Amino acid sequence: MARRIGRLLGAAVLLAAVGLLPLPSVADAATKPHVSVSAPSAVRSNARLVMTGSVTPRAGGAPIRLQRQSSRGWTTVGSATTTRRGGFRVSAAPRAGTYRVLAPRHGSRVSVWSSWFRVRLIRVRSVGGTLSRSTTWTSPSSEQVQLT
């Protein structure tokens, strides 16, 4: 097995030296389309789900789609366009689930998407009661709490 791998590797090096097998370069890596995303791991139920990121190579005005995975595949839940530097900010209604950011084909750039990520939903409930100027809060059970 090791001998076979050695032969294949030797053949690949020979083909690359002759120019018949192109090897990826640092320049190729810099021009390959890529989406990077900063996403929260959890979002409150009374807030928007907001994600920021960038697309390379830079393309101003390129469409961005925030997608959530459902039983029927990926569904677009938010959209935005990139800034001239390739940055974006996209938001959607808060829901727990698996998300990704898609940068569809734009000009000569092919479609590219981010890795998927999961978002948890933190439920926020109103506890009721009243708050007056005297900073005393009365709970629904008529318990008084002094706020400091």
Side-chain angles (χ1 to χ4, degrees), residues 10-114:
V13 169
L14 180 63
L15 288 172
V18 175
L20 297 175
L21 179 68
L23 293 176
S25 67
V26 174
D28 290 339
T31 58
K32 285 187 179 176
H34 177 74
V35 177
S36 61
V37 180
S38 176
S41 59
V43 65
R44 293 189 328 251
S45 61
N46 64 348
R48 299 280 295 170
L49 172 60
V50 177
M51 295 176 204
T52 58
S54 63
V55 178
T56 53
R58 297 176 183 175
I64 296 294
R65 294 186 186 136
L66 175 61
Q67 296 185 322
R68 184 176 180 278
Q69 192 174 35
S70 68
S71 59
R72 291 183 234 155
W74 292 98
T75 304
T76 299
V77 294
S79 61
T81 56
T82 59
T83 64
R84 62 186 177 94
R85 293 183 145 198
F88 63 85
R89 181 180 187 275
V90 62
S91 67
R95 269 187 86 184
T98 303
Y99 291 85
R100 73 177 182 184
V101 173
L102 171 69
R105 183 184 176 111
H106 180 72
S108 62
R109 191 194 70 223
V110 296
S111 294
V112 62
W113 51 87
S114 67

Side-chain angles (χ1 to χ4, degrees), residues 126-148:
S126 173
V127 292
T130 58
L131 186 61
S132 66
R133 287 184 188 261
S134 65
T135 66
T136 301
W137 178 69
T138 305
S139 73
S141 62
S142 299
E143 204 178 312
Q144 287 205 345
V145 177
Q146 185 71 35
L147 302 177
T148 58

